[in-house]
Amino acid sequence: MPNMQLPPKESNLFKRILKCYEQKQYKNGLKFCKMILSNPKFAEHGETLAMKGLTLNCLGKKEEAYEFVRKGLRNDVKSHVCWHVYGLLQRSDKKYDEAIKCYRNALKLDKDNLQILRDLSLLQIQMRDLEGYRETRYQLLQLRPTQRASWIGYAIAYHLLKDYDMALKLLEEFRQTQQVPLNKIDYEYSELILYQNQVMREADLFQESLAHIETYEQQICDKLLVEEIKGEILLKLGRLKEASEVFRNLIDRNAENWCYYEGLEKALQLSTLEERLQIYEEISEQHPRAFSPRRLPLNLVPGEKFRELMDRFLRVNFSKGCPPLFTTLKSLYYDTEKVSIIQELVTNYEASLKTCDFFSPYENGEKEPPTTLLWVQYFLAQHFDKLGQYSLALDYINAAIASTPTLIELFYLKAKIYKHIGNLREAAKWMDEAQSLDTADRFINSKCAKYMLRANMIKEAEEMCSKFTREGTSAMENLNEMQCMWFQTECISAYQRLGRYGDALKKCHEVERHFFEITDDQFDFHTYCMRKMTLRAYVDLLRLEDILRRHAFYFKAARSAIEIYLKLFDNPLTNESKQQEINSENLSAKELKKMLSKQRRAQKKAKLEEERKHAERERQQKNQKKKRDDEEEEASGLKEELIPEKLERVENPLEEAIKFLIPLKNLVADNIDTHLLAFEIYFRKGKFLLMLQSVKRAFAIDSNNPWLHECLIRFSKSVSKQSNLPDIVSKVLSQEMQKIFFNKNLESFNEDFLKRNSTSLQHLLSGAKMMYFLDKSRQEKAIAIATRLDETIKDKNVKTLIKVSETLLDGSFGSCSSQYENYRMACHNLLPFTCVFLPSMSEVNSPSAALNHTANCDVLANEI
Amino acid sequence: MPSQLKLLEPEHKEGVVQGWPRLLRGRKLWANCRKSSRGGAGAAGGIGMATEGDVELELETETSGPERPPEKPRKHDSGAADLERVTDYAEEKEIQSSNLETAMSVIGDRRSREQKAKQEREKELAKVTIKKEDLELIMTEMEISRAAAERSLREHMGNVVEALIALTN
């Protein structure tokens, strides 16, 4: 009875339900459903019930939706409509694998159903089942050879599978069916041609591609791209004369695109420096206002000629007042000769401008305006900051500020210098000063928040951001909703430093969810792009989504998450008080008391705050009974809420860490940290072959990496301690490890490493750590190596010195408090402004600083 | 010059604060339209039951149906409106077919050849004998799926040491 055919009247009604669904008229759809179902004869009609469920789902009533759809399916399992509907419902729930199964069932009942095939193909491309996608697109083409999408979809399948021949054949067949008159410009046709050309170029068919672009040039809308393609292909084909023409024209269109100059140089095949400079000279005359033809030669020339060109370049820009001048020159700083010439030129300007308002004494003509000196000082501050001469940098920036106390850039730079010095509180203070000069400038506001986060001032940072977030919700929530990931990744690091692992993990998971959402957002474009013929953009989108998690934001979040999970595995949290114990170990009784009372107050305050927020949220919910908000509520309710306390007490931290690791292993295999993090996880899991995999991959990237060195020694030691490995595993291990260790014993392997890197502090630190690790009786020797500060050491910078001092504290060298104190003093003499090395006296006065400090140590103890 | 440098007082803040949400609103709306679409007909179009002809019959009677709720005019800017349209249902455009048939035949030939090559490779791999305990060792040691483990073992002709070395590369 339930699967009976509907009589004509009801059948018509049912078709209307479908139509309403297509046109998003869900309320009407429900009315039609009711009209059918209210007739007792059809009250159990499966397909109508299923459609009712699907329509309800669109109105946000998910539970009811599942109920109706399942009931419909039960009543009529032989209906492809019911299976299809169930598939759509699963798909809307993002259960793509389940949805594919439903579609397959539906297709068993009706193998040529166009709509189901289309839906299946969407899921296949979304899941990147390219082979399956090609199969489905083939069936669609067979069924509907007259539809555009059939051809395009099938061609894209081949393109993505890198079968360019077939893709091109299909595209050409399809193009021939498009009748567009030669003189008419049709955007979609233009896009089709450009896509065809892109496939040709990817297939290295340059001759064909050039002929193709020349044939259809008239009908392509993007004229600039046509020229760029021509230039690129002519170069590839070695038709240099024509290529040079093209690139000259391109430079005339836009004289600031560096790629065009690169192309022009390649096409002209200039051998001598003079010839190359000549070209830039010419272009510079044709485009007197252009910046690039003056900037680019600076990369090429050495010595006196460089001095001459640079002199000219700097004078113009200083007179004009060009804030990003240093940034444009920063890439020259790898060359010490150029750096010293720049320094000489600019310090001379400064001396001369101070006395006579000219760039050099004995000049005539117009005097420089007072701002010139300001920009020169600003430049010098950046210059010395870059060279690590921080006190000089501060002198210059302070002089500039004294003359112009209203310029934001100056305070911005001062903050930056303090950041490089390693005094993050001071940095945040000056960035706040910069921010206060223009509270309507969102850039400086964000920068200030970021600096506050670097100084672990999370609350202050959130308040800073709240000037620009929506009113009514907390800044934290709003920034999450807006997927503001710079903020979230900085928050993660701050929480991590403070040892608030639960909060940090919450943010890590939030970032992870953003990436999930971004992947999911591509779904709608599978149909849209094919319909609009924006195929180049579509293929680019697919490729972007494939490597999405290679993004630095994901890497940062994943790295922190892994580090924290490792830490939680090593020291699981059992109850609330434990975390405090760790933090308070290094404090005296008085400080501890102070700290605890402060914490209690903070907790109380946080609780009040939470209550206030809760009340506010409730009030909001009551006020805004709008439909849209309801929908949102439900949608967000689907996701499991992230609770810090639960996250930091997760049952199996290593498995959680692996979830973050896998995308890195697949996508960021060229970054050595990926494999070293992987090693740390597998080391704790005792998976020897996976440890081997990690060190082998890391070894291939940089065999001399200090962290890798530590991993290798710990790995080798744990292998030698293990006696009951399966034969096959030990065979693989010994065979492969031989290639790395060459049968050396670990002590001599470590000695070699130390000898090889005797001037790099980072390497010495790792080698020394391992010396102590292998033989506890050599503590003194190991510490002596790690704390070397003599002239031969090359990397005595803030970062490395802090790292050494933290390693001294974290137990890697056993207990060594007196050596730490000596080392701290020695570093303080080297870097008087860096907080970590300040005598502890000043820290006692500010308990928050002391707190910060211990938290820092705590985090770095977990440095792996 | 210093006097030219802008020094904005806090009262300017108001104006900017009113200005900014436009940027944010774009994403917000996108989120909304995504939510409404994903469940909906949206990207997928309808349920494939009615043939195109049938639908057209329906189109005429559509206007006589129960009255629709009036579409609320959207306040947001056109960018967001475009985003809404991403999920609209649209009929596929048709090609005026001329020589589709020859094209179709070319495709058919090519396809059958491909499938044959693929099947032969699979057949070859299937001939390799592998040991169950080797398979399980690879799965637990390398933490990979059965299918991936089996594939690598077969590709190395059942030699488990070689397979493992390749997997750790």
Side-chain angles (χ1 to χ4, degrees):
Chain A
M1 177 76 169
N3 59 351
M4 65 176 296
Q5 277 288 312
L6 292 171
K9 186 182 155 234
E10 275 74 15
S11 172
N12 266 336
L13 280 172
F14 186 73
K15 281 173 193 158
R16 278 196 193 166
I17 299 175
L18 298 180
K19 197 77 203 165
C20 286
Y21 171 74
E22 281 170 11
Q23 295 177 342
K24 302 181 188 171
Q25 298 172 12
Y26 305 124
K27 293 242 164 87
N28 285 347
L30 283 183
K31 277 181 204 158
F32 291 129
C33 288
K34 205 175 162 195
M35 284 162 77
I36 298 179
L37 294 172
S38 59
N39 183 337
K41 270 206 307 210
F42 310 119
E44 293 294 306
H45 184 243
E47 295 181 354
T48 310
L49 285 168
M51 276 312 293
K52 184 174 176 187
L54 187 61
T55 312
L56 283 169
N57 184 53
C58 296
L59 293 170
K61 295 177 181 156
K62 213 170 111 171
E63 267 170 41
E64 277 180 77
Y66 267 95
E67 202 178 297
F68 277 104
V69 172
R70 288 208 177 106
K71 192 173 168 200
L73 187 60
R74 262 200 307 277
N75 286 350
D76 196 355
V77 272
K78 288 272 171 250
S79 155
H80 67 85
V81 174
C82 290
W83 279 108
H84 190 188
V85 167
Y86 196 37
L88 288 172
L89 187 62
Q90 304 262 22
R91 192 192 76 186
S92 80
D93 227 2
K94 306 195 193 350
K95 294 177 192 155
Y96 295 140
D97 291 325
E98 294 299 309
I100 287 181
K101 279 181 209 155
C102 292
Y103 289 160
R104 291 228 181 269
N105 276 333
L107 283 172
K108 270 182 213 153
L109 299 164
D110 183 7
K111 75 177 173 47
D112 287 342
N113 186 311
L114 215 55
Q115 196 54 52
I116 302 176
L117 282 168
R118 269 185 213 142
D119 283 344
L120 177 62
S121 81
L122 294 179
L123 283 181
Q124 285 169 326
I125 189 71
Q126 175 79 7
M127 303 296 282
R128 297 297 189 276
D129 171 12
L130 295 178
E131 304 266 341
Y133 180 66
R134 185 177 59 186
E135 282 306 300
T136 314
R137 296 305 322 186
Y138 177 71
Q139 278 166 296
L140 281 167
L141 181 63
Q142 288 291 319
L143 290 171
R144 277 287 183 284
T146 56
Q147 279 181 353
R148 308 200 316 172
S150 307
W151 288 86
I152 299 166
Y154 196 38
I156 287 180
Y158 276 101
H159 180 199
L160 294 174
L161 285 162
K162 297 205 164 50
D163 184 341
Y164 303 112
D165 266 9
M166 188 66 173
L168 285 171
K169 212 169 272 169
L170 285 164
L171 286 170
E172 182 57 21
E173 289 298 337
F174 172 64
R175 194 198 58 76
Q176 284 169 11
T177 63
Q178 300 295 86
Q179 285 136 357
V180 178
L182 261 175
N183 52 3
K184 200 185 151 221
I185 288 197
D186 176 282
Y187 183 74
E188 292 187 4
Y189 187 60
S190 157
E191 279 299 304
L192 174 66
I193 290 170
L194 285 173
Y195 177 63
Q196 216 177 358
N197 198 271
Q198 182 187 346
V199 181
M200 287 178 183
R201 277 175 289 137
E202 279 176 28
D204 288 343
L205 299 167
F206 300 120
Q207 202 74 53
E208 289 82 347
S209 158
L210 185 63
H212 176 262
I213 202 109
E214 280 170 347
T215 314
Y216 300 107
E217 199 175 344
Q218 292 301 314
Q219 284 162 296
I220 297 175
C221 301
D222 190 343
K223 301 294 180 203
L224 178 65
L225 187 66
V226 171
E227 290 301 308
E228 287 179 343
I229 292 174
K230 272 192 199 166
E232 180 199 324
I233 302 175
L234 286 169
L235 268 187
K236 289 230 163 89
L237 291 172
R239 289 162 65 176
L240 300 177
K241 198 165 172 335
E242 294 153 272
S244 72
E245 289 300 309
V246 173
F247 282 110
R248 273 185 201 276
N249 287 336
L250 282 168
I251 290 173
D252 285 341
R253 287 183 70 128
N254 175 6
E256 303 294 358
N257 189 332
W258 288 20
C259 300
Y260 299 163
Y261 292 93
E262 201 186 314
L264 183 63
E265 281 209 36
K266 270 189 203 153
L268 292 173
Q269 287 196 305
L270 305 172
S271 47
T272 68
L273 193 58
E274 283 72 33
E275 284 175 326
R276 293 172 78 182
L277 290 178
Q278 180 67 30
I279 291 295
Y280 286 103
E281 192 80 22
E282 274 171 33
I283 295 171
S284 194
E285 270 163 34
Q286 287 161 11
H287 302 278
R289 294 174 68 88
F291 188 81
S292 304
R294 288 168 226 279
R295 167 66 187 82
L296 285 169
L298 298 173
N299 296 341
L300 311 172
V301 291
E304 274 313 300
K305 187 72 184 165
F306 175 77
R307 182 191 300 273
E308 182 198 322
L309 291 180
M310 185 51 114
D311 189 28
R312 229 188 299 161
F313 184 79
L314 287 173
R315 283 173 186 239
V316 175
N317 284 296
F318 280 135
S319 298
K320 205 163 86 183
C322 173
L325 183 60
F326 181 78
T327 320
T328 60
L329 295 176
K330 212 158 81 180
S331 57
L332 298 171
Y333 273 61
Y334 68 93
D335 184 337
T336 46
E337 189 204 9
K338 289 183 179 180
V339 174
S340 61
I341 293 176
I342 293 174
Q343 179 167 329
E344 205 188 314
L345 284 170
V346 187
T347 43
N348 285 343
Y349 296 157
E350 208 242 356
S352 169
L353 284 166
K354 265 185 181 164
T355 52
C356 63
D357 290 340
F358 285 114
F359 277 118
S360 59
Y362 324 114
E363 266 181 40
N364 295 315
E366 218 171 304
K367 286 194 172 187
E368 291 295 324
T371 51
T372 307
L373 177 62
L374 174 70
W375 293 119
V376 166
Q377 286 170 333
Y378 177 63
F379 184 94
L380 283 172
Q382 286 167 296
H383 170 87
F384 287 112
D385 176 46
K386 171 85 183 164
L387 299 183
Q389 302 181 31
Y390 301 118
S391 51
L392 255 178
L394 281 176
D395 289 346
Y396 280 109
I397 200 66
N398 286 333
I401 289 175
S403 72
T404 316
T406 51
L407 184 56
I408 295 173
E409 276 86 350
L410 302 180
F411 292 97
Y412 174 87
L413 180 57
K414 188 165 180 177
K416 202 168 175 178
I417 297 169
Y418 274 111
K419 182 185 78 176
H420 293 157
I421 287 175
N423 194 337
L424 299 169
R425 290 249 155 195
E426 196 69 10
K429 189 185 116 190
W430 287 108
M431 203 51 104
D432 194 20
E433 189 72 30
Q435 176 275 139
S436 71
L437 291 177
D438 185 356
T439 51
D441 181 335
R442 192 169 195 180
F443 169 78
I444 200 74
N445 175 279
S446 300
K447 271 286 170 193
C448 181
K450 185 165 170 173
Y451 273 60
M452 286 171 160
L453 289 173
R454 287 279 167 93
N456 297 345
M457 299 152 71
I458 298 170
K459 215 139 192 75
E460 290 87 340
E462 192 188 349
E463 259 163 48
M464 186 53 65
C465 285
S466 70
K467 293 184 187 178
F468 284 90
T469 52
R470 182 188 315 201
E471 280 159 51
T473 57
S474 84
M476 217 48 126
E477 274 168 41
N478 191 236
L479 290 166
N480 181 40
E481 197 192 350
M482 293 301 149
Q483 304 185 332
C484 181
M485 286 195 267
W486 69 262
F487 181 82
Q488 292 181 302
T489 47
E490 290 295 337
C491 262
I492 293 170
S493 307
Y495 281 132
Q496 199 182 354
R497 282 190 297 268
L498 290 169
R500 291 171 62 181
Y501 297 131
D503 293 303
L505 286 176
K506 181 177 174 188
K507 290 269 167 272
C508 293
H509 282 274
E510 280 173 0
V511 170
E512 211 285 322
R513 284 180 179 181
H514 296 328
F515 278 89
F516 178 84
E517 247 182 74
I518 294 168
T519 311
D520 209 54
D521 282 346
Q522 76 181 299
F523 203 107
D524 300 333
F525 291 94
H526 299 311
T527 36
Y528 182 76
C529 290
M530 265 193 238
R531 193 165 80 226
K532 292 288 178 190
M533 204 61 99
T534 52
L535 304 175
R536 287 179 304 139
Y538 176 57
V539 172
D540 282 352
L541 171 75
L542 295 182
R543 288 177 179 164
L544 169 75
E545 299 279 4
D546 283 341
I547 55 161
L548 188 67
R549 283 173 172 75
R550 197 182 280 178
H551 196 282
F553 284 146
Y554 184 80
F555 193 87
K556 267 192 187 172
R559 187 196 168 108
S560 291
I562 293 170
E563 284 172 357
I564 293 170
Y565 281 126
L566 290 173
K567 172 90 178 159
L568 291 175
F569 177 81
D570 295 343
N571 306 297
L573 297 176
T574 43
N575 54 42
E576 301 262 347
S577 64
K578 187 136 186 191
Q579 200 184 342
Q580 286 177 7
E581 274 168 38
I582 301 166
N583 273 340
S584 51
E585 258 168 28
N586 307 351
L587 298 176
S588 70
K590 200 178 162 195
E591 280 167 350
L592 187 68
K593 211 173 154 191
K594 226 174 180 181
M595 191 187 97
L596 284 178
S597 75
K598 197 178 165 180
Q599 272 181 353
R600 265 195 299 276
R601 255 178 290 144
Q603 270 172 4
K604 214 170 164 186
K605 203 176 155 195
K607 207 178 156 195
L608 280 174
E609 179 75 3
E610 194 56 40
E611 273 167 16
R612 192 185 58 79
K613 263 189 212 158
H614 192 72
E616 198 172 292
R617 223 175 294 153
E618 263 178 24
R619 203 173 56 229
Q620 261 174 27
Q621 278 172 4
K622 270 179 200 162
N623 288 348
Q624 304 179 343
K625 276 271 173 182
K626 284 179 202 156
K627 193 181 129 209
R628 178 167 287 185
D629 280 305
D630 285 341
E631 264 173 38
E632 215 169 287
E633 234 10 77
E634 269 160 51
S636 59
L638 301 178
K639 281 186 198 153
E640 198 191 336
E641 201 189 338
L642 296 167
I643 302 159
E645 287 72 27
K646 265 192 198 158
L647 288 170
E648 61 189 357
R649 284 174 184 75
V650 65
E651 217 162 277
N652 200 338
L654 295 182
E655 293 309 317
E656 295 295 318
I658 286 179
K659 281 184 204 158
F660 279 95
L661 175 72
I662 289 198
L664 301 186
K665 269 177 89 173
N666 292 332
L667 298 173
V668 207
D670 54 349
N671 185 334
I672 195 166
D673 288 357
T674 298
H675 305 299
L676 297 173
L677 288 168
F679 175 84
E680 297 293 346
I681 299 174
Y682 297 132
F683 183 75
R684 284 161 178 78
K685 282 190 82 177
K687 293 275 180 184
F688 285 92
L689 288 178
L690 284 164
M691 283 186 243
L692 176 69
Q693 180 191 58
S694 310
V695 292
K696 266 168 79 179
R697 288 177 179 177
F699 197 78
I701 294 171
D702 174 12
S703 57
N704 200 32
N705 179 292
W707 183 6
L708 169 64
H709 177 73
E710 293 175 32
C711 294
L712 283 172
I713 289 193
R714 286 159 59 213
F715 175 49
S716 176
K717 181 129 190 202
S718 74
V719 171
S720 61
K721 270 196 288 189
Q722 199 72 23
S723 54
N724 54 349
L725 285 172
D727 287 347
I728 296 164
V729 175
S730 356
K731 196 175 166 196
V732 174
L733 284 173
S734 64
Q735 199 176 324
E736 292 298 293
M737 281 166 68
Q738 212 270 329
K739 294 176 191 164
I740 295 174
F741 290 95
F742 300 109
N743 295 333
K744 270 184 233 163
N745 72 26
L746 287 179
E747 274 79 9
S748 60
F749 184 78
N750 195 38
E751 290 303 326
D752 286 352
F753 179 81
L754 283 167
K755 242 178 255 165
R756 201 164 58 233
N757 301 292
S758 60
T759 60
S760 162
L761 193 50
Q762 284 185 59
H763 291 83
L764 291 176
L765 176 62
S766 293
K769 247 166 106 173
M770 289 303 106
M771 183 186 274
Y772 178 72
F773 172 76
L774 290 170
D775 182 357
K776 303 276 186 264
S777 68
R778 299 183 70 190
Q779 187 198 27
E780 209 163 312
K781 171 88 177 131
I783 293 177
I785 293 173
T787 54
R788 270 177 60 188
L789 287 168
D790 50 274
E791 283 309 308
T792 51
I793 302 285
K794 281 182 191 145
D795 53 342
K796 275 185 292 187
N797 52 37
V798 177
K799 249 191 199 161
T800 325
L801 292 184
I802 292 182
K803 197 170 168 193
V804 174
S805 75
E806 282 159 353
T807 314
L808 288 174
L809 283 175
D810 73 10
S812 303
F813 291 104
S815 78
C816 53
S817 49
S818 68
Q819 287 103 324
Y820 166 74
E821 192 52 31
N822 292 338
Y823 187 67
R824 188 195 58 67
M825 263 157 31
C827 290
H828 178 60
N829 288 336
L830 269 175
L831 302 164
F833 299 107
T834 308
C835 327
V836 190
F837 303 132
L838 289 177
S840 37
M841 281 304 286
S842 65
E843 286 179 359
V844 176
N845 295 334
S846 64
S848 63
L851 243 178
N852 254 335
H853 184 65
T854 42
N856 263 333
C857 304
D858 191 30
V859 171
L860 283 144
N862 119 53
E863 186 68 38
I864 338 169
Chain B
M1 178 77 181
S3 57
Q4 292 166 14
L5 299 166
K6 56 180 173 164
L7 172 62
L8 287 182
E9 295 301 326
E11 62 248 32
H12 291 264
K13 184 184 160 186
E14 288 295 314
V16 175
V17 170
Q18 280 164 8
W20 65 262
R22 289 189 59 205
L23 268 181
L24 305 183
R25 231 189 292 138
R27 217 203 93 65
K28 180 79 180 102
L29 279 170
W30 173 222
N32 276 328
C33 90
R34 192 179 53 229
K35 270 166 211 150
S36 58
S37 74
R38 196 57 52 74
I47 308 297
M49 188 183 127
T51 62
E52 260 108 274
D54 291 339
V55 176
E56 250 153 10
L57 275 179
E58 280 311 295
L59 274 176
E60 291 159 13
T61 51
E62 178 65 17
T63 42
S64 61
E67 62 185 273
R68 281 175 224 170
E71 276 280 299
K72 272 186 205 146
R74 299 256 181 218
K75 270 174 269 166
H76 44 71
D77 45 9
S78 63
D82 276 346
L83 283 176
E84 288 269 9
R85 255 176 262 132
V86 170
T87 58
D88 278 355
Y89 174 68
E91 277 299 325
E92 305 274 356
K93 289 188 191 167
E94 299 274 327
I95 315 172
Q96 313 303 320
S97 62
S98 50
N99 52 354
L100 284 176
E101 273 171 30
T102 49
M104 295 295 291
S105 67
V106 174
I107 295 161
D109 284 357
R110 175 66 184 267
R111 234 178 72 89
S112 53
R113 255 183 293 140
E114 261 163 28
Q115 276 185 334
K116 220 173 170 186
K118 204 175 138 193
Q119 277 168 359
E120 265 164 35
R121 173 76 180 144
E122 290 300 320
K123 236 189 236 166
E124 223 171 84
L125 284 181
K127 271 187 226 155
V128 178
T129 47
I130 52 170
K131 278 190 251 160
K132 198 180 164 206
E133 63 260 33
D134 287 348
L135 189 66
E136 267 155 21
L137 181 80
I138 296 181
M139 281 167 60
T140 50
E141 286 297 324
M142 300 306 296
E143 302 193 339
I144 54 177
S145 68
R146 178 173 287 272
E150 196 175 325
R151 176 120 202 142
S152 94
L153 198 52
R154 285 185 192 282
E155 276 172 359
H156 291 90
M157 310 307 284
N159 183 331
V160 62
V161 173
E162 273 179 32
L164 282 171
I165 289 178
L167 284 170
T168 57
N169 278 337

